[in-house]
Amino acid sequence: MSVDEDARWLEWVTKQFESIAGDDKEIDIDEFKTALKVKESFFAERFFALFDSDGSGSISLDELLKALDLLIHGSETDKLKFLFQVYDVDGSGSIDPDELRTVLKSCLRESAISLPEEKLDDLTLALFESADRDNSGSITFEELKAELENFPEVMENLTISAANWLKPPAAADQKKRRAPRYLTRAYWQNNSRKLFFLCLYAVVTVLLFTGAMLQHRHGGAWFMVAKGCGQCLNFNCTFILVLMLRRFLTWLRATWVVRVFPLDQNILLHQIVGYAILCFTLVHTTAHVFNFVQLSEHSGFSLWEYLLTTRPGVGWVNGTASLTGVVLQLVIFLMVLCSSTFVRRSGHFEVFYWSHLSYVWVWALLVVHCANFWKWFLVPGLIFLLEKIVGIAVARMGGLHIVEVNLLPSKVTHLVIKRPEFFHFKPGDYVYINIPEIAKYEWHPFTISSPPEQSDSLWLHIRSMGQWTNRLYEYFRQPQREEVSPKRLAASLRHRRQLTRAQVSAKFGENHRFCNIKCYVDGPYGTPTRQIFTSEHAVLIGAGIGITPFASILQSIMYRYRMRKQNCPNCNYSWCENIKDGEMLLRKVDFIWINRDQKSFEWFVSLLTKLEMDQADEEPEGRFLEMHMYMTSALSKNDMKAIGLQMALDLLAKKEKRDSITGLRTRTQPGRPEWGKVFQKVSEENKGKVHVFYCGAPALAKTIKAQCERFGFNFYKEHF
């Protein structure tokens, strides 16, 4: 650090100390724990003991500055000595197995990892035996230093990540000035279809607005503006329907149109057009109000009569234009409000769902309100009606049945539905499902998590995040209790009738049951992931339950991969032929799954284990499928509270050839991915054009998309 940086750092730490310390200008153990934000008191107590150099039971500013100077400005050896002292609980100058076990147990708690006691013993022995080079029964400082040298990524940045309050914020003049991403060449290249569509949409809107204004120039300025907005509303209120013709768009995805227009972003475009409708409606209404003010000055009708009655005769159906306009204004505003993110994502999907059904009333009112709207609406409306009729016919044809249910960790409900012969879909497609037992009139979209090659059943993995999904989970979680009463036979008969109505025939285990519950499925509908098989290098990124589209895709990929796999008839050796065909051009697949905690991995691990086992022993261009698991609650490898644990997990994974957290061959990485490094590695592999497919939280999508633009990768996101 320079002199100026040192001065800033000293000023910052002093300020932080004063905000944490009490009136006595000393930091006690409780204040220290609060400041460090640690989950496990062991590390707070060890750090506190080392910071408190005079053993007074509190830390002064001088003691804090001295310790922090060592951790932030000290040499590598100084930091290692501090780490050794943390692990050397009894201060004997060496670390014995029991001390190491105590430290690792605290590391597990700090990283929110739960392992059996036997596994903790294995981790302790793996690290201890590797570090105890002289077999003396204890680890010295030199031995710990030598062991850490085998993990260079840890040595790069040894610090206490939880103590962010110790680090001064970056100065404004030190921040790199970068051009806005919207002005970069990479952004325009990767968003060319969307930008082309938006430009075309803007040109059409301007032409319609201008043409309508010129056509009605005799009526005055406000009348011209109202008519211009009205013509734009004719177009937009029809076009917003086109963007939601799911079957029509699914068919278009198989044509050349997908290379010109951003069909995969139809939901985003639907939202943009929806906001445009709201804006045009407000301007249209305002212009008419001002126009009515002018008319009321020269006619026998007041402003309120123009707005709220049919007496002035405004409109082509009994003078109802004003009244229908007021109602339309209210309904459109309500629809936009109820479709906001905070409504849809806050567990009130039903509010969005039912309010959005008022689109039928909007179209009906528009036909009455505007004399020309029916001309715009006729063809798209007929296609929409045809889609609805086909959807109802397909969904109700015979009806489907849920034949098996598994309740998985993280409140995930796995539904197994008997698949009809006529039901064909592509990997990554989604369906709308209606289960009358849960809600008679509600339809909800979920990705199909089984591969098309699985002909007997459909899988849906549904996470409990809203009212409907919670009701679904609780419905199958409720145990089937037998009634105990003097009238045993009557109670038994009543219980059987209840089972008949619910149509649940048997239950096996607490979280698994076979059943025969009727449901209806509307679909399938296509998604951006349909393009995965035309990619050469695909990167699949799932965050939490966002893995479900890739469950189907990965299984389908590996099914096709097995078709290429060759086995030696004389031994167990296998290899994969590098063959490209018309259906799959893939040369490499990277699968990245990011989860918050350990339990979130459990429901999908069995499938991932099977996919790992399907890999060939030898492949011409390296492994075809690589998995990368990240657990965000676990502290990173360069954190002092996690170094020992991550080293032990690495050593045990090499020894047992599987990860201790998930049981996979792939080692689970702590913390969040460093996307710059991840995509740099992908870029260096040179497997062909890279396509990144993402499903998960919108906030993370923005980060990944920005990195894709930097590296020139194509980015696709699930939007439904």
Side-chain angles (χ1 to χ4, degrees), residues 392-460:
I392 294 171
V394 171
R396 300 287 173 177
M397 193 181 297
L400 305 182
H401 289 84
I402 301 170
V403 295
E404 187 178 347
V405 177
N406 294 289
L407 300 183
L408 304 173
S410 301
K411 294 191 75 175
V412 174
T413 307
H414 173 204
L415 302 180
V416 179
I417 302 170
K418 185 173 177 58
R419 179 179 173 180
E421 293 181 3
F422 62 84
F423 192 90
H424 303 287
F425 66 97
K426 302 277 187 183
D429 285 0
Y430 69 99
V431 295
Y432 280 79
I433 186 171
N434 167 254
I435 306 176
E437 287 288 338
I438 307 301
K440 192 171 183 179
Y441 299 107
E442 292 185 27
W443 294 78
H444 295 266
F446 298 103
T447 305
I448 302 171
S449 52
S450 55
E453 293 80 10
Q454 183 175 299
S455 59
D456 59 336
S457 62
L458 293 173
W459 290 359
L460 299 179

Coordinates of all heavy atoms in Angstrom, one line a residue, residues 392-460:
I392 N -57.4 -27.1 -25.1 CA -58.4 -27.7 -24.2 C -58.7 -29.2 -24.7 O -58.8 -30.1 -23.8 CB -59.7 -26.9 -24.3 CG1 -59.5 -25.5 -23.6 CG2 -60.9 -27.6 -23.6 CD1 -60.7 -24.6 -23.8
A393 N -58.7 -29.3 -26.0 CA -59.0 -30.7 -26.5 C -57.9 -31.6 -26.1 O -58.1 -32.8 -25.7 CB -59.2 -30.6 -28.0
V394 N -56.6 -31.2 -26.3 CA -55.5 -32.1 -26.0 C -55.4 -32.3 -24.5 O -55.2 -33.5 -24.0 CB -54.2 -31.4 -26.5 CG1 -52.9 -32.2 -25.9 CG2 -54.1 -31.3 -28.0
A395 N -55.7 -31.3 -23.7 CA -55.6 -31.4 -22.2 C -56.7 -32.4 -21.7 O -56.4 -33.2 -20.8 CB -55.7 -30.1 -21.5
R396 N -57.9 -32.3 -22.3 CA -59.0 -33.0 -21.7 C -59.1 -34.4 -22.4 O -60.0 -35.2 -22.0 CB -60.3 -32.2 -21.9 CG -60.3 -30.9 -21.3 CD -60.4 -31.0 -19.8 NE -60.3 -29.7 -19.1 CZ -60.4 -29.6 -17.8 NH1 -60.7 -30.6 -17.0 NH2 -60.3 -28.4 -17.2
M397 N -58.4 -34.6 -23.4 CA -58.5 -35.9 -24.2 C -58.1 -37.1 -23.3 O -56.9 -37.4 -23.2 CB -57.7 -35.9 -25.4 CG -58.0 -37.0 -26.4 SD -56.9 -36.9 -27.9 CE -57.5 -35.3 -28.5
G398 N -59.0 -37.7 -22.7 CA -58.7 -38.9 -21.8 C -58.2 -38.5 -20.4 O -58.5 -39.2 -19.5
G399 N -57.6 -37.3 -20.3 CA -57.0 -37.0 -19.0 C -55.8 -37.8 -18.6 O -55.7 -39.0 -19.0
L400 N -54.9 -37.2 -17.9 CA -53.7 -37.9 -17.5 C -53.8 -38.2 -16.0 O -54.7 -37.7 -15.3 CB -52.4 -37.1 -17.8 CG -52.3 -36.7 -19.2 CD1 -50.9 -35.9 -19.4 CD2 -52.3 -37.9 -20.2
H401 N -52.9 -39.1 -15.5 CA -52.9 -39.4 -14.1 C -51.5 -39.3 -13.5 O -50.5 -39.8 -14.1 CB -53.5 -40.8 -13.9 CG -54.9 -40.9 -14.1 ND1 -55.4 -41.1 -15.4 CD2 -56.0 -40.8 -13.3 CE1 -56.8 -41.1 -15.3 NE2 -57.1 -41.0 -14.1
I402 N -51.4 -38.8 -12.3 CA -50.2 -38.8 -11.5 C -50.1 -40.2 -10.8 O -51.0 -40.5 -10.0 CB -50.2 -37.7 -10.4 CG1 -50.3 -36.3 -11.1 CG2 -48.9 -37.7 -9.6 CD1 -50.6 -35.2 -10.1
V403 N -49.1 -40.9 -11.2 CA -49.0 -42.3 -10.7 C -48.0 -42.5 -9.6 O -48.0 -43.5 -8.9 CB -48.7 -43.3 -11.9 CG1 -49.8 -43.3 -12.9 CG2 -47.4 -42.9 -12.5
E404 N -47.2 -41.5 -9.4 CA -46.2 -41.6 -8.3 C -45.7 -40.2 -7.9 O -45.7 -39.3 -8.7 CB -45.0 -42.4 -8.8 CG -43.9 -42.7 -7.8 CD -42.8 -43.5 -8.3 OE1 -42.9 -44.0 -9.5 OE2 -41.8 -43.7 -7.6
V405 N -45.5 -40.1 -6.6 CA -45.0 -38.8 -6.0 C -43.9 -39.0 -5.1 O -43.9 -40.0 -4.2 CB -46.2 -38.1 -5.2 CG1 -45.7 -36.8 -4.6 CG2 -47.4 -37.8 -6.2
N406 N -42.8 -38.2 -5.2 CA -41.7 -38.2 -4.3 C -41.5 -36.8 -3.7 O -41.5 -35.8 -4.4 CB -40.4 -38.6 -5.0 CG -40.5 -40.1 -5.5 OD1 -40.4 -41.0 -4.7 ND2 -40.6 -40.2 -6.8
L407 N -41.5 -36.7 -2.3 CA -41.2 -35.5 -1.7 C -39.7 -35.4 -1.4 O -39.2 -36.2 -0.6 CB -42.0 -35.4 -0.4 CG -43.6 -35.4 -0.6 CD1 -44.2 -35.2 0.8 CD2 -44.0 -34.4 -1.6
L408 N -39.1 -34.5 -2.0 CA -37.6 -34.4 -2.0 C -37.2 -33.3 -1.0 O -38.0 -32.4 -0.7 CB -37.1 -34.2 -3.4 CG -37.5 -35.3 -4.4 CD1 -37.0 -34.9 -5.8 CD2 -36.9 -36.6 -4.0
P409 N -35.9 -33.2 -0.7 CA -35.4 -32.1 0.2 C -35.6 -30.8 -0.5 O -35.8 -30.7 -1.7 CB -33.9 -32.4 0.3 CG -33.8 -33.9 0.1 CD -34.8 -34.3 -0.9
S410 N -35.5 -29.7 0.3 CA -35.8 -28.3 -0.1 C -37.2 -28.1 -0.6 O -37.5 -27.3 -1.4 CB -34.8 -27.9 -1.2 OG -33.5 -28.0 -0.8
K411 N -38.2 -28.9 -0.1 CA -39.6 -28.8 -0.4 C -39.8 -28.9 -1.9 O -40.6 -28.1 -2.5 CB -40.2 -27.5 0.2 CG -40.2 -27.5 1.7 CD -41.0 -26.3 2.3 CE -42.5 -26.6 2.1 NZ -43.3 -25.6 2.7
V412 N -39.2 -29.9 -2.5 CA -39.4 -30.2 -3.9 C -40.4 -31.4 -4.1 O -40.1 -32.4 -3.5 CB -38.1 -30.4 -4.6 CG1 -38.3 -30.9 -6.1 CG2 -37.2 -29.2 -4.6
T413 N -41.4 -31.2 -4.9 CA -42.4 -32.3 -5.2 C -42.1 -32.9 -6.5 O -42.1 -32.1 -7.5 CB -43.8 -31.8 -5.1 OG1 -44.0 -31.1 -3.9 CG2 -44.8 -32.9 -5.2
H414 N -41.8 -34.1 -6.6 CA -41.5 -34.8 -7.8 C -42.7 -35.6 -8.2 O -43.1 -36.6 -7.6 CB -40.3 -35.8 -7.7 CG -40.0 -36.6 -8.9 ND1 -39.3 -37.8 -8.8 CD2 -40.3 -36.5 -10.2 CE1 -39.2 -38.4 -10.0 NE2 -39.8 -37.6 -10.8
L415 N -43.3 -35.2 -9.3 CA -44.5 -35.8 -9.9 C -44.2 -36.7 -11.0 O -43.4 -36.3 -11.9 CB -45.6 -34.8 -10.3 CG -46.1 -33.8 -9.3 CD1 -47.1 -32.9 -10.0 CD2 -46.7 -34.5 -8.1
V416 N -44.7 -38.0 -11.0 CA -44.5 -38.9 -12.1 C -45.9 -39.1 -12.8 O -46.8 -39.6 -12.1 CB -43.9 -40.2 -11.7 CG1 -43.8 -41.2 -12.9 CG2 -42.6 -40.0 -11.0
I417 N -46.0 -38.7 -14.0 CA -47.3 -38.7 -14.7 C -47.2 -39.7 -15.8 O -46.2 -39.7 -16.6 CB -47.6 -37.3 -15.3 CG1 -47.6 -36.2 -14.2 CG2 -48.9 -37.3 -16.1 CD1 -47.7 -34.8 -14.7
K418 N -48.2 -40.5 -15.9 CA -48.3 -41.5 -17.0 C -48.3 -40.8 -18.4 O -49.2 -40.0 -18.6 CB -49.5 -42.5 -16.8 CG -49.5 -43.6 -17.9 CD -50.6 -44.6 -17.5 CE -50.7 -45.7 -18.6 NZ -49.5 -46.4 -18.7
R419 N -47.4 -41.1 -19.2 CA -47.3 -40.4 -20.5 C -48.1 -41.1 -21.6 O -47.9 -42.2 -21.9 CB -45.8 -40.4 -20.9 CG -45.5 -39.6 -22.2 CD -44.1 -39.6 -22.6 NE -43.8 -39.1 -23.9 CZ -42.6 -39.0 -24.4 NH1 -41.5 -39.4 -23.7 NH2 -42.5 -38.5 -25.7
P420 N -49.0 -40.3 -22.2 CA -49.8 -40.9 -23.3 C -48.9 -41.0 -24.6 O -47.9 -40.4 -24.8 CB -50.9 -39.8 -23.5 CG -50.3 -38.5 -23.0 CD -49.3 -38.9 -21.9
E421 N -49.4 -41.9 -25.5 CA -48.6 -42.2 -26.7 C -48.5 -41.0 -27.6 O -47.5 -40.9 -28.3 CB -49.3 -43.4 -27.4 CG -49.2 -44.7 -26.6 CD -49.8 -45.8 -27.4 OE1 -50.3 -45.6 -28.6 OE2 -49.9 -47.0 -26.9
F422 N -49.5 -40.2 -27.6 CA -49.5 -39.0 -28.6 C -48.7 -37.8 -28.1 O -48.5 -36.9 -28.8 CB -50.9 -38.6 -28.9 CG -51.6 -38.1 -27.7 CD1 -51.5 -36.7 -27.3 CD2 -52.5 -38.9 -26.9 CE1 -52.1 -36.3 -26.1 CE2 -53.1 -38.4 -25.8 CZ -53.0 -37.1 -25.4
F423 N -48.1 -37.9 -26.9 CA -47.4 -36.7 -26.3 C -46.0 -36.8 -26.7 O -45.2 -37.6 -26.3 CB -47.6 -36.8 -24.8 CG -47.1 -35.5 -24.1 CD1 -48.1 -34.5 -23.9 CD2 -45.8 -35.3 -23.7 CE1 -47.7 -33.3 -23.3 CE2 -45.4 -34.1 -23.1 CZ -46.4 -33.1 -22.9
H424 N -45.6 -35.8 -27.5 CA -44.2 -35.7 -28.0 C -43.6 -34.3 -27.6 O -44.3 -33.3 -27.7 CB -44.1 -35.9 -29.5 CG -44.7 -37.2 -30.0 ND1 -44.1 -38.4 -29.8 CD2 -45.8 -37.5 -30.6 CE1 -44.8 -39.4 -30.3 NE2 -45.9 -38.8 -30.8
F425 N -42.4 -34.3 -27.1 CA -41.8 -33.1 -26.7 C -40.3 -33.1 -27.0 O -39.7 -34.1 -27.3 CB -42.1 -32.8 -25.2 CG -41.4 -33.7 -24.3 CD1 -40.2 -33.4 -23.6 CD2 -42.0 -35.0 -24.0 CE1 -39.7 -34.3 -22.7 CE2 -41.5 -35.9 -23.1 CZ -40.3 -35.5 -22.5
K426 N -39.7 -31.9 -26.8 CA -38.2 -31.8 -26.9 C -37.6 -31.5 -25.6 O -38.3 -31.0 -24.6 CB -37.9 -30.6 -27.8 CG -38.5 -30.6 -29.2 CD -37.6 -31.5 -30.1 CE -38.2 -31.4 -31.6 NZ -37.4 -32.3 -32.5
P427 N -36.3 -31.8 -25.4 CA -35.7 -31.6 -24.1 C -35.8 -30.1 -23.7 O -35.5 -29.2 -24.5 CB -34.2 -32.0 -24.3 CG -34.3 -32.9 -25.5 CD -35.4 -32.5 -26.3
G428 N -36.1 -29.8 -22.5 CA -36.2 -28.4 -22.0 C -37.6 -27.8 -22.2 O -37.9 -26.7 -21.7
D429 N -38.6 -28.5 -22.8 CA -39.9 -28.0 -23.0 C -40.7 -27.9 -21.7 O -40.3 -28.6 -20.7 CB -40.7 -28.9 -24.0 CG -40.3 -28.6 -25.4 OD1 -39.4 -27.8 -25.7 OD2 -40.9 -29.3 -26.3
Y430 N -41.7 -27.1 -21.7 CA -42.5 -27.0 -20.4 C -44.0 -27.2 -20.8 O -44.4 -27.2 -21.9 CB -42.3 -25.6 -19.8 CG -42.9 -24.5 -20.5 CD1 -44.1 -23.9 -20.2 CD2 -42.2 -23.9 -21.5 CE1 -44.6 -22.8 -20.8 CE2 -42.7 -22.8 -22.2 CZ -43.9 -22.3 -21.9 OH -44.4 -21.2 -22.6
V431 N -44.8 -27.5 -19.7 CA -46.2 -27.7 -19.8 C -46.9 -26.9 -18.8 O -46.3 -26.5 -17.8 CB -46.6 -29.2 -19.7 CG1 -46.0 -30.0 -20.8 CG2 -46.2 -29.7 -18.3
Y432 N -48.2 -26.7 -19.0 CA -49.1 -26.1 -18.0 C -49.9 -27.3 -17.4 O -50.4 -28.1 -18.2 CB -50.1 -25.1 -18.6 CG -49.5 -23.8 -18.8 CD1 -48.7 -23.5 -19.9 CD2 -49.8 -22.7 -17.9 CE1 -48.1 -22.2 -20.1 CE2 -49.2 -21.5 -18.1 CZ -48.4 -21.2 -19.2 OH -47.9 -20.0 -19.3
I433 N -49.9 -27.4 -16.1 CA -50.6 -28.5 -15.4 C -51.7 -28.0 -14.6 O -51.6 -26.9 -13.9 CB -49.6 -29.4 -14.6 CG1 -50.3 -30.6 -14.1 CG2 -49.0 -28.5 -13.5 CD1 -49.4 -31.6 -13.4
N434 N -52.8 -28.7 -14.6 CA -54.0 -28.5 -13.7 C -54.3 -29.7 -12.9 O -54.5 -30.8 -13.5 CB -55.2 -28.0 -14.6 CG -56.5 -28.1 -13.8 OD1 -57.3 -28.9 -14.0 ND2 -56.6 -27.1 -12.9
I435 N -54.3 -29.6 -11.6 CA -54.6 -30.7 -10.7 C -55.9 -30.3 -10.0 O -55.8 -29.6 -9.0 CB -53.5 -31.0 -9.8 CG1 -52.2 -31.3 -10.5 CG2 -53.8 -32.3 -8.9 CD1 -51.0 -31.5 -9.7
P436 N -57.1 -30.8 -10.4 CA -58.3 -30.4 -9.7 C -58.3 -30.7 -8.2 O -59.0 -29.9 -7.5 CB -59.4 -31.3 -10.4 CG -58.8 -31.6 -11.7 CD -57.3 -31.7 -11.5
E437 N -57.6 -31.7 -7.7 CA -57.5 -31.9 -6.3 C -56.9 -30.8 -5.5 O -57.2 -30.5 -4.3 CB -56.8 -33.2 -6.0 CG -57.5 -34.5 -6.4 CD -58.7 -34.8 -5.4 OE1 -58.6 -34.3 -4.3 OE2 -59.6 -35.5 -5.8
I438 N -56.0 -30.0 -6.2 CA -55.3 -28.9 -5.6 C -56.1 -27.6 -5.8 O -56.3 -26.8 -4.9 CB -53.9 -28.8 -6.1 CG1 -53.1 -30.1 -5.9 CG2 -53.1 -27.7 -5.4 CD1 -53.1 -30.6 -4.5
A439 N -56.4 -27.3 -7.1 CA -57.2 -26.1 -7.5 C -57.8 -26.4 -8.8 O -57.2 -26.7 -9.8 CB -56.2 -24.9 -7.6
K440 N -59.1 -26.3 -8.8 CA -59.9 -26.8 -10.0 C -59.7 -26.0 -11.2 O -59.6 -26.6 -12.3 CB -61.4 -26.8 -9.6 CG -62.3 -27.5 -10.6 CD -63.7 -27.7 -10.1 CE -64.5 -28.5 -11.1 NZ -65.9 -28.6 -10.6
Y441 N -59.4 -24.7 -11.1 CA -59.3 -23.9 -12.3 C -58.0 -23.3 -12.6 O -57.8 -22.5 -13.5 CB -60.4 -22.7 -12.2 CG -61.8 -23.2 -12.1 CD1 -62.5 -23.1 -10.9 CD2 -62.4 -23.8 -13.2 CE1 -63.8 -23.6 -10.8 CE2 -63.7 -24.2 -13.1 CZ -64.4 -24.1 -11.9 OH -65.7 -24.6 -11.8
E442 N -57.0 -23.6 -11.8 CA -55.7 -23.0 -11.9 C -54.7 -23.9 -12.8 O -54.6 -25.1 -12.6 CB -55.0 -22.8 -10.5 CG -55.7 -21.7 -9.7 CD -55.0 -21.4 -8.4 OE1 -53.8 -21.5 -8.4 OE2 -55.7 -20.9 -7.5
W443 N -54.0 -23.2 -13.7 CA -53.0 -23.9 -14.5 C -51.7 -23.2 -14.2 O -51.6 -22.0 -14.2 CB -53.3 -23.7 -16.0 CG -54.6 -24.4 -16.4 CD1 -55.9 -24.1 -16.2 CD2 -54.6 -25.7 -17.1 NE1 -56.7 -25.0 -16.7 CE2 -56.0 -26.0 -17.3 CE3 -53.7 -26.6 -17.6 CZ2 -56.4 -27.2 -17.9 CZ3 -54.1 -27.7 -18.3 CH2 -55.5 -28.0 -18.4
H444 N -50.6 -24.0 -14.0 CA -49.3 -23.5 -13.7 C -48.2 -24.1 -14.6 O -48.3 -25.3 -14.9 CB -49.0 -23.7 -12.3 CG -49.9 -23.0 -11.3 ND1 -49.5 -21.7 -10.8 CD2 -51.1 -23.3 -10.8 CE1 -50.5 -21.3 -10.0 NE2 -51.5 -22.2 -10.0
P445 N -47.3 -23.3 -15.1 CA -46.2 -23.8 -16.0 C -45.0 -24.4 -15.2 O -44.5 -23.8 -14.3 CB -45.8 -22.6 -16.8 CG -46.0 -21.5 -15.8 CD -47.1 -21.8 -14.9
F446 N -44.6 -25.6 -15.7 CA -43.4 -26.3 -15.1 C -42.6 -27.0 -16.2 O -43.2 -27.5 -17.1 CB -43.8 -27.2 -14.0 CG -44.5 -26.6 -12.8 CD1 -45.9 -26.7 -12.7 CD2 -43.8 -25.9 -11.9 CE1 -46.5 -26.1 -11.6 CE2 -44.4 -25.3 -10.8 CZ -45.8 -25.4 -10.7
T447 N -41.3 -27.0 -16.1 CA -40.5 -27.7 -17.0 C -40.6 -29.2 -16.9 O -40.6 -29.7 -15.8 CB -39.0 -27.2 -16.8 OG1 -38.9 -25.8 -16.9 CG2 -38.1 -27.8 -17.9
I448 N -40.6 -29.9 -18.0 CA -40.5 -31.3 -18.0 C -39.1 -31.7 -17.7 O -38.2 -31.3 -18.4 CB -41.0 -31.9 -19.4 CG1 -42.4 -31.4 -19.7 CG2 -40.9 -33.4 -19.3 CD1 -42.8 -31.8 -21.2
S449 N -38.9 -32.5 -16.6 CA -37.6 -32.9 -16.2 C -37.1 -34.3 -16.6 O -36.0 -34.7 -16.4 CB -37.4 -32.8 -14.7 OG -38.5 -33.5 -14.0
S450 N -38.0 -35.0 -17.3 CA -37.7 -36.3 -17.9 C -37.3 -36.1 -19.4 O -37.7 -35.2 -20.0 CB -38.8 -37.3 -17.7 OG -40.0 -36.7 -18.3
P451 N -36.5 -37.0 -19.9 CA -36.1 -36.9 -21.3 C -37.1 -37.4 -22.3 O -38.0 -38.3 -21.9 CB -34.8 -37.8 -21.4 CG -35.0 -38.8 -20.3 CD -35.8 -38.1 -19.2
P452 N -37.2 -37.0 -23.5 CA -38.1 -37.5 -24.5 C -38.0 -39.0 -24.7 O -39.0 -39.7 -25.0 CB -37.8 -36.7 -25.7 CG -37.1 -35.5 -25.3 CD -36.3 -35.9 -24.1
E453 N -36.8 -39.5 -24.5 CA -36.5 -40.9 -24.7 C -37.2 -41.8 -23.7 O -37.3 -43.0 -23.9 CB -35.0 -41.2 -24.7 CG -34.3 -40.6 -25.9 CD -34.0 -39.1 -25.7 OE1 -34.2 -38.6 -24.6 OE2 -33.6 -38.5 -26.7
Q454 N -37.6 -41.2 -22.6 CA -38.3 -42.0 -21.5 C -39.8 -42.0 -21.9 O -40.6 -41.1 -21.7 CB -38.1 -41.3 -20.2 CG -38.8 -42.0 -19.0 CD -38.4 -41.3 -17.7 OE1 -37.3 -41.2 -17.3 NE2 -39.4 -40.8 -17.0
S455 N -40.2 -43.1 -22.5 CA -41.5 -43.2 -23.2 C -42.7 -43.5 -22.2 O -43.9 -43.2 -22.6 CB -41.5 -44.3 -24.2 OG -41.2 -45.5 -23.7
D456 N -42.5 -44.0 -21.0 CA -43.6 -44.4 -20.2 C -44.1 -43.3 -19.3 O -45.3 -43.4 -18.8 CB -43.2 -45.6 -19.4 CG -42.0 -45.4 -18.5 OD1 -41.2 -44.4 -18.8 OD2 -41.8 -46.1 -17.5
S457 N -43.3 -42.3 -18.9 CA -43.8 -41.3 -17.9 C -43.2 -39.9 -18.2 O -42.2 -39.8 -18.9 CB -43.4 -41.8 -16.5 OG -42.0 -41.9 -16.4
L458 N -43.9 -38.9 -17.6 CA -43.4 -37.6 -17.6 C -43.0 -37.2 -16.2 O -43.7 -37.6 -15.2 CB -44.4 -36.6 -18.1 CG -44.9 -36.6 -19.5 CD1 -46.1 -35.7 -19.7 CD2 -43.8 -36.2 -20.4
W459 N -41.9 -36.5 -16.0 CA -41.5 -36.0 -14.7 C -41.6 -34.5 -14.6 O -41.3 -33.8 -15.5 CB -40.0 -36.4 -14.4 CG -39.7 -37.8 -14.2 CD1 -40.6 -38.8 -14.2 CD2 -38.4 -38.4 -14.0 NE1 -40.0 -40.0 -14.0 CE2 -38.6 -39.8 -13.9 CE3 -37.2 -37.9 -13.8 CZ2 -37.6 -40.7 -13.6 CZ3 -36.1 -38.7 -13.6 CH2 -36.3 -40.1 -13.5
L460 N -42.1 -34.1 -13.4 CA -42.1 -32.6 -13.1 C -41.5 -32.5 -11.7 O -41.9 -33.2 -10.8 CB -43.6 -32.1 -13.1 CG -44.3 -32.1 -14.4 CD1 -45.7 -31.5 -14.2 CD2 -43.6 -31.3 -15.5

